[in-house]
Amino acid sequence: MIGTELLPAVQVRNTIEALVESGAIDGEIAEAWKQKLTTETLVKEMRAKAEDGDAEAMWWLGVWYEYGECGLTKDNAQARAWYERSAAARDPRGLATFGCFLLDGIGGPQDNVFGIMNLAQAAELGSDYGAYILGHAFFSGDGLPKDPVRARYWLKKAVDGECEFKLLFHDDRSAAEQMLEALESGGGVIS
C-alpha cells in the first residue's frame, strides 16, 4: 500500500540535474529544467535579500506573488504582505503599490486613509505611479476632493518624467496625459 504523503525525491532531482548539466539530457525538457533552476535560484536570492531588509527585493517578491511570476503561485495576501514590508522600509515602489492595495482592499481589508497616506509618501519620494494615482484622485474627486491645482501638480510630475521611480504602464501614462490636457485646456473633463 502506497501512502498519500508526497515527499521530495532529492536523489532523483540531483540525478536529473547532473544529467542535464553534463549534456546527457538535452532539448526542450533540459532547457525547461535549466530555466526552472534559474528561476528557483533567483527567488531564493531575492527572498534572502528581502529577509535582510532590502526594500526593493521585498517589492519584487510582492510583484511576483501579485502576478504569479517566477514560479510563485498568485497570492494577493502574500503580495500585500511583501508590499507592506517594502512600504515600511520607505521604498517608493512599495509605498505606491501597498497604497493601491489598501485603497482597493486587495489581499486584505480596505483602508482609504492609510492608502492615501502611502500614495502621498510614494509620490513625495519620486514614484510616478503614486503621483499619477494622487493626480487622478484630485482630478476625479474619487477618494479626495476635486482639486484641479493639486491634480495638475501631481499629473505633471507623472507625465513630465520628474519622478525617479517609473512604474506607469502605457495606458496609465496616456490617461495622465489626457487628464493633464483637460486641466490645461480649462475643461477638466475627459470625453
Side-chain angles (χ1 to χ4, degrees), residues 104-120:
D104 295 334
I106 299 171
Q110 185 175 7
D111 187 334
N112 291 339
V113 173
F114 197 40
I116 293 292
M117 287 173 53
N118 276 268
L119 284 165

Side-chain angles (χ1 to χ4, degrees), residues 2-183:
I2 297 177
T4 58
E5 184 179 355
L6 293 176
L7 300 171
V10 178
Q11 292 171 329
V12 172
R13 179 185 172 97
N14 291 341
T15 300
I16 293 170
E17 190 172 330
L19 290 170
V20 168
E21 287 179 11
S22 72
I25 299 175
D26 61 2
E28 285 182 35
I29 294 173
E31 290 305 315
W33 182 268
K34 288 178 186 177
Q35 180 60 43
K36 183 177 186 286
L37 289 178
T38 301
T39 302
E40 286 175 357
T41 301
L42 176 64
V43 171
K44 185 178 179 180
E45 289 170 356
M46 196 65 72
R47 192 175 301 276
K49 286 180 182 179
E51 295 295 344
D52 283 342
D54 184 319
E56 183 179 358
M58 294 172 196
W59 178 76
W60 274 113
L61 284 170
V63 170
W64 295 343
Y65 274 113
E66 180 180 1
Y67 295 102
E69 294 176 350
C70 289
L72 298 176
T73 303
K74 185 175 180 175
D75 184 336
N76 283 334
Q78 279 291 324
R80 180 176 171 141
W82 283 110
Y83 289 146
E84 183 173 14
R85 288 180 69 179
S86 180
R90 309 260 314 136
D91 183 81
R93 295 161 291 228
L95 284 160
T97 315
F98 182 52
C100 287
F101 266 53
L102 288 166
L103 290 176
D104 295 334
I106 299 171
Q110 185 175 7
D111 187 334
N112 291 339
V113 173
F114 197 40
I116 293 292
M117 287 173 53
N118 276 268
L119 284 165
Q121 289 176 12
E124 287 290 341
L125 291 171
S127 165
D128 67 350
Y129 189 63
Y132 163 68
I133 297 295
L134 282 179
H136 182 274
F138 280 121
F139 179 85
S140 65
D142 185 20
L144 292 171
K146 275 191 175 192
D147 186 331
V149 173
R150 286 190 173 95
R152 183 179 294 109
Y153 174 80
W154 289 114
L155 290 169
K156 193 162 177 46
K157 277 192 164 298
V159 170
D160 287 352
E162 292 180 33
C163 299
E164 178 183 350
F165 299 94
K166 298 180 183 352
L167 301 175
L168 280 184
F169 292 112
H170 176 73
D171 292 347
D172 292 336
R173 179 168 299 288
S174 294
E177 289 169 352
Q178 288 177 359
M179 284 183 272
L180 190 57
E181 185 178 310
L183 287 166

